[in-house]
Amino acid sequence: MTTPPAPALIEPRRVALVTLGCARNEVDSEELAGRLEADGWVLVEDAADADAVVVNTCGFVEAAKKDSVDTLLAAADLKAHGRPKAVIAVGCLAERYGDQLAESLPEADAVLGFDDYGDIGARLRRIIAGEPHVPHAPRDRRLLLPVTPVDRAAAAVALPGHAQREEPDLPEGIAPASGPRVVRRRLGSGPSAPLKLASGCDRRCAFCAIPSFRGSFVSRRPSDVIEEARWLADQGVREIVLVSENSTSYGKDLGDLRLLETLLPELAGIDGVDWVRVSYLQPAETRPTLVQTIASTSGVVPYFDLSFQHSSPTVLRRMRRFGGTESFLDLLASARALSPLAGARSNVIVGFPGETDADVDELERFLVAARLDAVGVFGYSDEDGTEAATYDGKLSLDTIRERVERISALVEELTAQRAEDRIGESIEVLVEQVADTIEGRGAHQAPEVDGNTTLVDHEGAALRVGDLVMATVVGSDGVDLIASLRPRA
């Protein structure tokens, strides 16, 4: 009797993930990485070494869409050299446009939506094998969930960044310890990491298309958030950045609108976590109790990422938003009364339909008084499917460009002055780079968006990435700070 031949070994498939856009997309990419690795895929950094390149696209504004398309085309160009074998679009642009994107971009081998994430490994194998993939037809994801927030928990809807697995034998490094586990593989090694608090948004801002392709607001369970934070700490993460489309709504679908105030101290108490930072606060929903918790809880950085968008009440009403200069200044004052050195940042949109010169003057008045550490300035553009795209009173591109330049110049001056005002302050700095220079961030500086702090006078300190040190601000360069480890007379 002859022994049957052993089955031929199948070479592991290699996949490269390219992430564009915001920190929420970073979490989604790490979920995809965890799913793929659990399915036997090998993660590689270089697209030229991969069988499949997965581009996690951004669909927020026109510039981000163009960047996503350019990245997909660049990956497709590599196929002429034999690798990769397939280029796949995922993420917000893919979800938002689906079959339209596939038709207009034949260079991409497939366009996958959020509903494909749960079986991503099998999807990629079939695409590499040459099987056609039918892209989804875009749909309003808000319609997939119940209108009443408390009824959403039981709905079977794909929510990127919320994935749970029941299997007990996930490969090492895919989070976390026991029971239902979040599927995630870190793609970076820095001391800071985003953690998804919730997905979607129930607000109906006239300029924003995000709820239509991200869906209605759904909170993650506190136990899931805490367990993932513990796993991140075990991976060497020292700063947890809570991200969502609207963090101030956290808990409303779980029956407790003040759940974030309870969750933050628990996260800050996790061994290994030095900082907890909250991103994406809606001013109209920012409660005094939440301000108190962020400003006063040990381990929670006093940092307020407030989505003002404008300060003219007239413009804000047309945007389907609330507030204005005085209420926004009162909110900032309440935070600084509790924590005088608190950081504050925002984004503003100029050139919104119907915006007048007086509205721009009002925005300038607010920005001068607000003393923000960082401000993103965006020029308005129509977004498909939004209410504002149907508005009259559209401004010319030249007018919008002029106002963007005007407000950007003011913001550059004001934020540089705010950084200069911090000279002499004693700040805590999270070390992120130890090379020719030592770079980090103060508590008022969020990753990627708010500037950095360069440490000087550090001879003999033997600093490592992830260290948290006290330093004195001795200089500034724009929004960036220079800080000394040794106080100067």
Side-chain angles (χ1 to χ4, degrees):
M1 181 176 179
T2 59
T3 303
L9 294 176
I10 301 174
E11 181 183 354
R13 293 293 190 185
R14 297 174 176 267
V15 60
L17 283 158
V18 180
T19 306
L20 305 172
C22 65
R24 301 185 293 272
N25 258 16
E26 292 180 32
V27 178
D28 296 350
S29 284
E30 293 192 348
E31 177 196 311
L32 291 173
R35 288 185 179 279
L36 287 165
E37 189 165 72
D39 195 38
W41 288 76
V42 176
L43 301 171
V44 297
E45 292 187 10
D46 193 338
D49 295 331
D51 297 296
V53 174
V54 177
V55 179
N56 192 350
T57 60
C58 178
F60 179 45
V61 293
E62 207 58 44
K65 297 175 195 174
K66 182 180 184 304
D67 191 23
S68 295
V69 171
D70 288 346
T71 302
L72 287 163
L73 291 174
D77 285 343
L78 292 174
K79 290 172 61 178
H81 302 286
R83 271 197 172 179
K85 295 181 174 64
V87 175
I88 297 96
V90 301
C92 291
L93 190 70
E95 176 62 38
R96 184 176 181 185
Y97 292 105
D99 50 8
Q100 303 168 42
L101 180 64
E103 182 178 355
S104 63
L105 194 70
E107 293 85 353
D109 296 280
V111 174
L112 306 185
F114 296 153
D115 294 333
D116 293 308
Y117 284 18
D119 197 24
I120 187 69
R123 295 280 195 277
L124 297 194
R125 283 195 294 273
R126 288 195 288 268
I127 293 164
I128 289 175
E131 296 181 22
H133 175 80
V134 178
H136 71 285
R139 54 183 173 168
D140 190 334
R141 294 190 73 85
R142 291 171 293 191
L143 304 178
L144 304 181
L145 289 164
V147 174
T148 305
V150 294
D151 293 335
R152 294 172 186 166
V157 175
L159 297 169
H162 293 227
Q164 296 286 321
R165 289 174 67 105
E166 299 287 347
E167 294 91 335
D169 298 320
L170 291 173
E172 181 181 356
I174 298 179
S178 62
R181 294 185 283 178
V182 176
V183 179
R184 182 169 180 176
R185 163 64 75 181
R186 286 205 75 198
L187 296 175
S189 58
S192 177
L195 192 162
K196 190 164 282 192
L197 189 65
S199 289
C201 186
D202 287 340
R203 300 186 71 87
R204 295 295 180 262
C205 300
F207 56 82
C208 184
I210 290 175
S212 67
F213 56 85
R214 278 291 184 178
S216 298
F217 185 86
V218 180
S219 302
R220 293 183 68 195
R221 293 179 301 180
S223 58
D224 294 341
V225 176
I226 290 168
E227 284 305 307
E228 186 170 346
R230 287 177 177 151
W231 176 79
L232 288 169
D234 290 342
Q235 300 290 306
V237 171
R238 294 295 168 257
E239 178 187 28
I240 301 294
V241 182
L242 298 176
V243 298
S244 71
E245 276 74 28
N246 179 6
S247 297
T248 37
S249 283
Y250 181 72
K252 74 174 187 179
D253 52 326
L254 301 177
D256 185 357
L257 189 54
R258 297 189 177 186
L259 194 56
L260 185 54
E261 287 94 310
T262 303
L263 178 63
L264 287 173
E266 293 188 61
L267 291 171
I270 293 172
D271 287 343
V273 174
D274 295 310
W275 284 356
V276 177
R277 186 182 304 275
V278 185
S279 296
Y280 306 109
L281 302 173
Q282 287 289 344
E285 298 180 27
T286 304
R287 307 169 292 279
T289 52
L290 181 56
V291 174
Q292 172 81 35
T293 301
I294 293 174
S296 307
T297 303
S298 177
V300 177
V301 295
Y303 174 83
F304 294 86
D305 177 11
L306 294 158
S307 178
F308 292 125
Q309 302 301 349
H310 212 284
S311 73
S312 164
T314 303
V315 174
L316 287 167
R317 299 307 174 270
R318 285 176 64 84
M319 288 179 168
R320 303 292 186 197
R321 297 175 66 86
F322 303 94
T325 296
E326 302 310 326
S327 63
F328 292 166
L329 292 177
D330 287 345
L331 176 57
L332 290 167
S334 68
R336 288 166 175 155
L338 295 165
S339 179
L341 304 184
R345 84 168 324 272
S346 191
N347 295 317
V348 297
I349 298 172
V350 294
F352 192 77
E355 182 189 61
T356 65
D357 289 337
D359 294 324
V360 180
D361 291 342
E362 181 68 8
L363 177 59
E364 287 187 334
R365 183 173 79 86
F366 165 70
L367 291 170
V368 169
R371 298 171 59 243
L372 299 170
D373 293 281
V375 183
V377 181
F378 296 89
Y380 171 81
S381 62
D382 286 339
E383 285 294 317
D384 296 337
T386 61
E387 181 182 352
T390 69
Y391 283 179
D392 56 10
K394 299 285 178 62
L395 305 182
S396 70
L397 291 178
D398 287 343
T399 298
I400 294 173
R401 188 180 305 112
E402 183 274 330
R403 290 181 180 179
V404 168
E405 292 172 355
R406 170 182 167 184
I407 297 300
S408 295
L410 176 65
V411 160
E412 184 176 356
E413 178 184 348
L414 292 172
T415 53
Q417 181 60 56
R418 178 66 177 139
E420 188 176 336
D421 290 344
R422 290 190 179 274
I423 293 175
E425 290 180 3
S426 179
I427 64 172
E428 204 169 28
V429 179
L430 178 66
V431 177
E432 294 187 302
Q433 173 185 299
V434 178
D436 295 336
T437 60
I438 296 181
E439 302 287 341
R441 287 180 290 104
H444 69 286
Q445 296 170 316
E448 307 294 337
V449 293
D450 291 346
N452 300 309
T453 297
T454 300
L455 292 173
V456 296
D457 300 327
H458 50 72
E459 293 79 5
L463 296 177
R464 298 172 301 174
V465 171
D467 285 346
L468 204 63
V469 298
M470 294 302 301
T472 301
V473 180
V474 296
S476 63
D477 181 8
V479 296
D480 298 326
L481 299 182
I482 302 166
S484 171
L485 285 186
R486 290 198 297 270
R488 294 182 176 179

